[in-house]
Amino acid sequence: MKFGTKALHAGIKPDPSTGAIMTPIFQTSTYVQDSPGNHKGYEYARSQNPTRTALESNLAALENAKFGRCFASGMSATDTIIKLLNPGDEVVCTNDLYGGTYRLFTKLYAKYGLKFTFVNMQDLNEVREAMTDRTKLVWVETPTNPMMSIVDLVGLSKLTKDFGTLMAVDNTFATPYLQTPIDLGADLVMHSVTKYIAGHSDVVMGAIVTNSEELDEKIGFLQNSSGAVPGPNDCFLVLRGIKTLHVRMDRHSENGQRIAHFLRSHPLVNRVYWPGFDDHPNHDIAKRQMKKFGGMISFMLKDDSLEAAFEVLKKFKVFSLAESLGGVESLAGHPASMTHASIPKEERLKSGLTDSLIRLSVGIEDVDDLIEDLEQAIG
Ligand code: P1T
């Protein structure tokens, strides 16, 4: 089945009691049992909920994976993957990644005896050099947040398989429509569902998918034990959002392309970070592993000062200044003071994240209006 058909139908059956075509919101905390332990597969809503089950099956199908689990946020999904590890284990991570992930790794899990090493994964030699016999997980974002670097997932998975290390990919920026890391050798795929998958800026949620029954069982145990599960209303909203994921991603990518080229030709713009440019350092890999290049773009002004960036952000009329991304409406953010403020400046600068960098989440509005807005804001 092709992506657009799976988006609408995978894991979703009309309600057997009424025929309702939309998966009902099973707003219940528990399920009646005929006799102790004799039930219909649902015991307690932290453990299972039918609205959630439909969403989990749908997401697994979209990622070409066998198993899917949903969580209360992207961070709780990441948190669950890290809980697969033991004290003393080591993790090699992309040095350009969402600030909240960096915070979870360095401020929370480092104190439980886990070691995190951050490397530039555009160079797989750096990954190889950072791996030790204690490395149990490689954590990848591609495209990275916010520098839009691309990591060669096939190359990396060969390396992690040689080392017997798990490879987890945060696929939030690409979505399963543009990139399916399981097909490229990843063991685990994580999502901030909050973003493109939900797509309408009205839900916070996370997900993990895998092809390994053993990993899925462990993740299910953690999901039930820690209990960071999403409610059925949110699962319903995400199921509805997914029905247009492919259509939205096509438009995000189309608008993204126009805006990336517009910015690049603007005399007051210094650098534009977008993997669709022919001369992006990893464009060939991006072309190989992604279907299109999405709607996330970062750029720096020629006046590389914080004040100049703030001035542009203040002037936007259609773009809204806000954290988050992937919704239908266009957002602009300032990573250094917003989404990536928890990463120390010297670490940020290693991946090129300067104080003047502006990040755009290009929405699905009419692109001419978005370009007009950028024109008047940049000047
Ligand atoms: O916000 P939450 O659903 O918990 O997801 C966290 C997360 C994980 N991974 C990536 C790549 C992300 O971008 C995020 C959240 N990011 C933002 C809020 C942001 O504006 O970048």
Side-chain angles (χ1 to χ4, degrees):
M1 215 185 261
K2 297 255 169 58
F3 191 94
T5 316
K6 282 201 282 191
L8 272 89
H9 298 293
I12 295 158
K13 300 177 196 78
D15 176 46
S17 59
T18 61
I21 194 159
M22 293 302 291
T23 307
I25 300 168
F26 284 91
Q27 192 74 52
T28 187
S29 61
T30 193
Y31 310 87
V32 176
Q33 309 195 3
D34 294 334
S35 58
N38 184 8
H39 52 75
K40 297 176 174 60
Y42 293 90
E43 296 154 279
Y44 183 60
R46 170 163 36 76
S47 318
Q48 314 97 357
N49 177 285
T51 320
R52 195 175 94 209
T53 305
L55 174 59
E56 290 175 336
S57 309
N58 182 268
L59 277 174
L62 295 184
E63 285 283 0
N64 295 335
K66 292 195 182 115
F67 309 99
R69 305 265 179 186
C70 287
F71 294 84
S73 64
M75 288 321 304
S76 57
T78 303
D79 177 75
T80 302
I81 292 178
I82 300 303
K83 284 188 188 136
L84 294 168
L85 305 175
N86 293 307
D89 287 351
E90 297 182 3
V91 185
V92 177
C93 322
T94 27
N95 67 352
D96 178 32
L97 78 176
Y98 171 54
T101 308
Y102 181 87
R103 180 176 54 204
L104 180 76
F105 291 175
T106 58
K107 300 265 162 52
L108 188 81
Y109 278 110
K111 79 174 184 206
Y112 289 101
L114 293 167
K115 187 177 165 207
F116 298 87
T117 312
F118 298 89
V119 300
N120 171 13
M121 281 196 193
Q122 293 167 93
D123 180 358
L124 292 182
N125 286 324
E126 282 204 25
V127 184
R128 191 177 292 110
E129 275 161 26
M131 302 231 320
T132 73
D133 55 3
R134 296 187 150 198
T135 307
K136 295 293 181 301
L137 177 70
V138 170
W139 182 270
V140 196
E141 267 185 33
T142 182
T144 59
N145 181 1
M147 300 310 296
M148 313 300 155
S149 298
I150 301 292
V151 178
D152 173 3
L153 292 178
V154 170
L156 188 67
S157 77
K158 283 189 189 132
L159 193 62
T160 55
K161 284 192 174 54
D162 281 352
F163 274 83
T165 305
L166 287 178
M167 169 171 154
V169 179
D170 180 339
N171 202 26
T172 301
F173 270 33
T175 82
Y177 181 59
L178 300 184
Q179 171 175 282
T180 44
I182 296 278
D183 294 332
L184 305 172
D187 300 291
L188 295 156
V189 173
M190 170 266 157
H191 275 285
S192 170
V193 171
T194 315
K195 310 298 179 333
Y196 287 107
I197 290 181
H200 296 74
S201 310
D202 50 10
V203 169
V204 171
M205 196 188 290
I208 303 171
V209 305
T210 180
N211 257 347
S212 155
E213 189 166 3
E214 190 191 337
L215 282 174
D216 178 64
E217 263 174 31
K218 288 182 183 166
I219 290 162
F221 172 80
L222 291 166
Q223 184 192 41
N224 188 40
S225 303
S226 295
V229 292
N233 274 283
D234 283 354
C235 292
F236 175 88
L237 284 174
V238 175
L239 278 166
R240 186 166 70 169
I242 285 175
K243 290 180 198 298
T244 56
L245 178 61
H246 50 305
V247 183
R248 287 185 282 111
M249 289 315 291
D250 279 339
R251 179 61 89 90
H252 283 297
S253 300
E254 226 173 84
N255 285 1
Q257 177 165 0
R258 281 274 308 277
I259 287 176
H261 285 281
F262 163 77
L263 286 171
R264 191 175 231 198
S265 65
H266 196 291
L268 298 179
V269 171
N270 183 11
R271 290 194 62 174
V272 185
Y273 300 89
W274 179 67
F277 289 132
D278 289 347
D279 58 355
H280 180 284
N282 321 111
H283 178 67
D284 288 346
I285 300 164
K287 240 174 32 188
R288 213 164 51 226
Q289 69 189 24
M290 298 175 76
K291 192 170 174 173
K292 296 182 179 183
F293 305 108
M296 295 301 299
I297 300 169
S298 294
F299 68 99
M300 256 190 288
L301 299 167
K302 287 235 164 91
D303 177 351
D304 189 22
S305 70
L306 191 78
E307 294 72 27
F310 277 24
E311 199 53 36
V312 170
L313 290 164
K314 215 168 64 189
K315 286 195 197 140
F316 278 131
K317 293 186 176 132
V318 182
F319 281 87
S320 300
L321 175 63
E323 302 216 4
S324 205
L325 58 111
V328 286
E329 59 289 291
S330 292
L331 301 181
H334 181 250
S337 67
M338 295 165 74
T339 47
H340 292 69
S342 49
I343 304 181
K345 189 168 176 173
E346 60 277 13
E347 279 302 317
R348 278 194 268 118
L349 289 176
K350 282 185 195 162
S351 61
L353 202 177
T354 60
D355 279 350
S356 68
L357 193 86
I358 293 174
R359 190 190 73 180
L360 302 179
S361 170
V362 176
I364 64 167
E365 298 94 337
D366 192 306
V367 71
D368 292 337
D369 290 327
L370 296 177
I371 288 176
E372 202 179 303
D373 198 29
L374 283 161
E375 236 161 14
Q376 66 79 25
I378 298 171

